[in-house]
């Protein structure tokens, strides 16, 4: 069954993760865009129709659920945007893949480009992607890059659980490119479960994509300048494919372990 687009009243009926005079942080449902939806409805449009003007500080894909940060005024928006541009915002996503065999920790260091029909892809041929088993790092040599404009892109991940059929990851994108986590994982052979970019059957069936914006940390200059971390744990629907393998207790344990993953510098 295809997901239905919620009304703004339905979105607002769910308690905000954080709200004050300057920002609104929502736990976005999968299946609705943050803004810029050409042939449908997005959150910014819904809010505007209801009399709320919001300015998204970052983009989360339509198929992705979880934390989305909005500013309520342009001054706050400018400050938050600078943090994202300077890469001082901490971002963590939860991922389920329908694969196994990933290392305990890894880094996908593959530049992105835009191909035909505006599709994001790796800026190299798939066969030129190299894997360093010692570092757990996927990379491509400079000489193997395609002769196109490319954008350096890095994603760190930690494997939280796998049963030989499915894998649960926490992913931390260093850069914030469009579709970055989705393309990085797919091109190393571990596409996100239900991702319509790489699973047409899932798209046709209207299945959800198992990518969730989980944690977001940023500085609140409009308050006392302190650090804020917002967390949105995924709902039961996110874990549904693993219902027979992961108990609620096991899920809680995974989330505790994943919360401590800061990237490759931790040890």
């Amino acid at each position: 069954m295809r997901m239905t687009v919620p009304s703004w009243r339905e979105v607002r009926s769910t308690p905000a993760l954080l709200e004050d005079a300057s920002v609104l942080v929502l736990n976005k449902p999968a299946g609705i865009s943050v803004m810029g939806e050409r042939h449908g409805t997005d959150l910014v449009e819904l809010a505007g129709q209801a009399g709320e003007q919001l300015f998204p500080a970052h983009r989360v894909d339509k198929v992705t659920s979880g934390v989305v940060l909005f500013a309520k005024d342009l001054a706050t928006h400018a400050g938050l945007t600078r943090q994202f541009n300077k890469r001082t915002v901490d971002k963590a996503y939860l991922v389920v893949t329908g694969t196994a065999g990933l290392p305990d920790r890894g880094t996908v260091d593959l530049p992105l480009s835009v191909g035909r029909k505006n599709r994001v892809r790796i800026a190299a041929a798939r066969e030129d992607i190299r894997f360093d088993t010692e570092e757990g790092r996927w990379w491509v040599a400079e000489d193997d890059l395609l002769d196109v404009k490319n954008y350096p892109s890095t994603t760190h991940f930690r494997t939280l659980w796998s049963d030989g059929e499915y894998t649960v990851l926490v992913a931390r994108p260093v850069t914030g490119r469009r579709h970055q986590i989705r393309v990085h994982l797919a091109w190393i052979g571990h596409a996100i479960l239900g991702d319509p970019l790489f699973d047409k059957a899932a798209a046709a069936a209207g299945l959800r994509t198992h990518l969730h914006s989980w944690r977001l940390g940023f500085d609140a200059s409009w308050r006392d300048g302190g650090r804020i971390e917002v967390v949105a744990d995924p709902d039961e629907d996110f874990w549904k494919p693993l219902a027979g393998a992961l108990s609620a207790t096991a899920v809680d344990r995974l989330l505790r372990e994943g919360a401590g993953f800061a990237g490759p510098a931790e040890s």
Side-chain angles (χ1 to χ4, degrees):
M1 180 179 294
R2 294 189 178 277
M3 298 178 188
T4 57
V5 177
S7 66
W8 186 244
R9 184 175 181 178
E10 289 172 317
V11 171
R12 275 308 225 156
S13 69
T14 302
L17 300 172
L18 171 69
E19 184 171 13
D20 58 23
S22 297
V23 299
L24 172 65
V25 187
L26 297 177
N27 185 359
K28 184 183 88 68
I32 185 169
S33 296
V34 174
M35 69 174 296
E37 181 72 6
R38 289 184 299 172
H39 305 296
T41 306
D42 58 62
L43 288 175
V44 170
E45 180 184 358
L46 286 176
Q49 292 172 351
E52 288 192 66
Q53 188 173 27
L54 297 176
F55 306 93
H58 64 130
R59 299 291 184 92
V60 175
D61 288 347
K62 179 177 182 177
V63 300
T64 306
S65 57
V67 180
V68 181
L69 171 61
F70 296 94
K72 293 185 177 181
D73 59 77
L74 289 174
T76 304
H77 179 259
L80 291 171
T81 300
R82 280 194 294 271
Q83 292 186 56
F84 279 94
N85 290 339
K86 291 179 179 179
R87 301 176 187 173
T88 60
V89 176
D90 295 319
K91 298 169 285 185
Y93 290 75
L94 288 170
V95 176
V96 179
T97 75
T99 63
L102 284 163
D104 289 342
R105 285 177 171 80
T107 297
V108 185
D109 194 6
L110 296 172
L112 300 177
S113 65
V114 180
R116 292 181 300 173
K117 298 182 179 180
N118 202 34
R119 292 196 62 173
V120 180
R121 55 160 293 155
I122 301 301
R126 195 180 299 268
E127 59 268 22
D128 290 327
I129 295 174
R130 308 183 188 189
F131 178 60
D132 186 321
T133 55
E134 194 169 309
E135 294 184 358
R137 174 174 170 260
W138 286 263
W139 61 287
V140 64
E142 188 76 24
D143 291 344
D144 290 328
L145 290 175
L146 300 175
D147 187 21
V148 296
K149 184 174 179 60
N150 67 79
Y151 305 90
S153 306
T154 303
T155 304
H156 303 303
F157 69 83
R158 178 181 174 185
T159 299
L160 300 179
W161 175 90
S162 183
D163 65 351
E165 181 180 3
Y166 296 102
T167 299
V168 178
L169 306 171
V170 56
R172 285 192 172 271
V174 177
T175 47
R177 313 298 184 191
R178 180 165 65 101
H179 301 336
Q180 177 176 316
I181 298 174
R182 299 165 68 185
V183 173
H184 270 174
L185 289 175
W187 276 65
I188 65 170
H190 296 276
I192 296 170
L193 188 66
D195 187 346
L197 291 179
F198 305 99
D199 187 347
K200 302 304 181 187
L207 301 180
R208 73 156 292 164
T209 300
H210 292 268
L211 175 62
H212 181 78
S213 174
W214 182 32
R215 310 176 78 92
L216 197 68
F218 53 92
D219 294 328
S221 59
W222 62 94
R223 292 187 172 186
D224 57 2
R227 193 77 170 171
I228 289 178
E229 183 174 52
V230 184
V231 180
D233 289 339
D235 59 18
E236 292 181 2
D237 186 55
F238 181 84
W239 302 108
K240 189 177 293 183
L242 312 177
L246 277 178
S247 66
T249 301
V251 167
D252 288 343
R253 177 178 56 80
L254 293 186
L255 295 179
R256 288 196 301 272
E257 291 177 2
F261 175 57
E266 71 158 17
S267 59

